[in-house]
Amino acid sequence: MRPTLEKRVADGQCGPWAFRASRSSFAVAVALLAVLVLGSSTTVGAQTVSFIAPRDFGVGPSPVSVAMGDFNGDGVQDLAVADYDSDRVSVLMGNGDGSFQASHDFGVWFPINPAPVTFSPHSVAVGDFNGDGVQDLAVANVGEFGDCVGSSVSVLLGYGGGRFQPAQGFGLDCYRISVAVGDFNGDGAEDLAVASSSAGTVSVLLGNGDGSFQAAQNFGVGGSPVSVAVGDFNGDGKFDLAVANPGSNNVSVLINNTP
C-alpha cells in the first residue's frame, strides 16, 4: 500500500524517490535546469506583469503534473493532469475564454503481474506518437513505493474529440518520475525521455511511429534525477537533454551525437 503524497511531503520526502534532499538543493537544481532550457537572453517589453484572480478547476486526488495540448482539434488549448493518488489522468477541455469544462478521467493502468498494482502517475507529456495528427499522452508512473512494481510509462493514444484509447504500458526501472518528448534520432517519429530517480539514469525510448516504442536505452546522469527537459543546446538541429539532479546538486546535460 502506497503512502499518500501528503504523508510523503510531511515526512520530508520530495516526492516518491528513495532519497532525502534538502529543499534548497532541489530548488537549485530546478533553477539551473530552467536557465539551461530558457537561456539567458531577455526580450525588451513590459517591466511588470499582472494576473487576474485565479480560477480553480477540479481534477483527481493529488495532482502533480500538468501539460497542454489540443485534444479535440478545435484549436483551443486543453489540459492534461497526472493525478498521483488515483492512477488516472484528468483531461479538461478548454472553452477558449480561459475557462475549462469538467474533467474526464482516463486510467494509466495496463495488464501487469502481480495484480493489482499501484501506478502512481507523476508526470505527463503530450505528443503525436502514431502520426495521425491527433495528440496523445505519455505518463511516467512511479509504481509501488518500495518494490517498484508498476514503475513504467503509460501511453494513451488519442481518438480525437478528447477521447483516448486504453493505456499501453512500457516497463522501466524504479521510480520513473519525469517524461519528455522529442525526436532524438531524427526519423520523424516522436520518442520519449524518462528520468529514473533510483537508477540515476535517463532512459530514451525510440518511437516506431505507430504508437509503440523500442526497448529503453539508458544513460547515466547525476544523483536522484527528478526532471528531464528537451532542447537544442548547441544549435546543431538535434534534440539534447537536460536533467535536474537534487541528489548531486547539479544538472546533467546530454548533447545528442546520434549520426
Side-chain angles (χ1 to χ4, degrees):
M1 180 177 179
R2 68 180 162 209
T4 65
L5 187 61
E6 291 84 353
K7 184 178 187 302
R8 291 182 185 176
V9 172
D11 289 343
Q13 297 172 331
C14 298
W17 48 91
F19 76 96
R20 292 177 180 269
S22 69
R23 294 181 180 177
S24 59
S25 64
F26 181 80
V28 168
V30 173
L32 285 172
L33 180 59
V35 169
L36 281 168
V37 174
L38 297 177
S40 59
S41 62
T42 58
T43 301
V44 176
Q47 299 302 306
T48 61
V49 65
S50 63
F51 296 91
I52 65 173
R55 298 177 63 182
D56 298 329
F57 301 90
V59 292
S62 300
V64 292
S65 176
V66 61
M68 295 182 297
D70 179 6
F71 304 122
N72 58 355
D74 64 354
V76 175
Q77 287 190 325
D78 311 311
L79 300 177
V81 182
D83 300 323
Y84 178 87
D85 280 330
S86 73
D87 288 351
R88 290 176 170 84
V89 173
S90 297
V91 174
L92 296 82
M93 295 298 152
N95 294 318
D97 60 358
S99 66
F100 293 85
Q101 301 174 29
S103 67
H104 295 274
D105 297 336
F106 300 89
V108 302
W109 54 81
F110 54 89
I112 191 171
N113 283 320
V117 171
T118 295
F119 286 89
S120 302
H122 198 273
S123 175
V124 59
V126 176
D128 180 6
F129 305 125
N130 58 354
D132 63 355
V134 178
Q135 293 190 319
D136 312 311
L137 299 176
V139 184
N141 304 309
V142 174
E144 294 277 2
F145 187 69
D147 61 16
C148 304
V149 176
S151 184
S152 57
V153 170
S154 298
V155 173
L156 292 79
L157 298 178
Y159 278 126
R163 299 172 299 151
F164 294 88
Q165 299 179 31
Q168 307 174 55
F170 301 89
L172 294 165
D173 292 334
C174 289
Y175 306 130
R176 295 294 177 168
I177 63 175
S178 179
V179 60
V181 176
D183 179 6
F184 302 115
N185 61 349
D187 64 353
E190 292 190 323
D191 312 313
L192 301 177
V194 189
S196 170
S197 66
S198 64
T201 61
V202 60
S203 298
V204 173
L205 292 78
L206 296 178
N208 295 317
D210 59 359
S212 66
F213 293 85
Q214 300 175 30
Q217 302 178 50
N218 300 322
F219 302 88
V221 291
S224 305
V226 298
S227 181
V228 58
V230 176
D232 180 5
F233 303 129
N234 60 349
D236 64 355
K238 298 177 181 179
F239 285 122
D240 310 311
L241 297 174
V243 184
N245 310 302
S248 52
N249 292 330
N250 59 16
V251 173
S252 298
V253 175
L254 291 79
I255 298 298
N256 189 342
N257 65 351
T258 304

